[in-house]
């Protein structure tokens, strides 16, 4: 699934993305580290993997979108 980086805190290595429908979804440091990233800037296109549904939905992986 694709999304756009919305926030990122380098100290906690967590943040949030905006899905293509405009809804925000937060990610924790485990999802960030699983993608092997060092830094994320708001506005960057990312690829995410999620699990669960509704309120239990969570991001498990954040990587940069490549073409």
């Amino acid at each position: 699934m694709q999304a756009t980086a919305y926030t990122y805190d380098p100290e906690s290595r967590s943040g949030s993305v905006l899905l293509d429908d405009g809804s925000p979804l937060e990610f924790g440091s485990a999802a960030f580290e699983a993608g092997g990233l060092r830094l994320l800037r708001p506005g960057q296109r990312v690829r995410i993997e999620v699990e669960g549904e509704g309120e239990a939905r969570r991001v498990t992986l954040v990587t940069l979108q490549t073409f």
Side-chain angles (χ1 to χ4, degrees):
M1 171 184 301
Q2 295 181 21
T4 303
Y6 185 53
T7 64
Y8 175 67
D9 177 11
E11 289 186 25
S12 67
R13 299 176 66 83
S14 62
S16 64
V17 296
L18 290 177
L19 303 178
D20 288 343
D21 68 1
S23 45
L25 191 57
E26 294 184 359
F27 63 87
S29 61
F32 183 80
E33 291 167 6
L37 298 176
R38 294 186 197 172
L39 180 66
L40 189 61
R41 292 186 307 259
Q44 283 183 298
R45 279 302 271 179
V46 294
R47 187 177 66 82
I48 60 171
E49 292 182 11
V50 298
E51 65 180 28
E53 294 185 29
E55 294 296 317
R57 190 175 188 185
R58 67 184 189 93
V59 176
T60 58
L61 176 75
V62 179
T63 60
L64 290 181
Q65 177 65 37
T66 58
F67 297 95

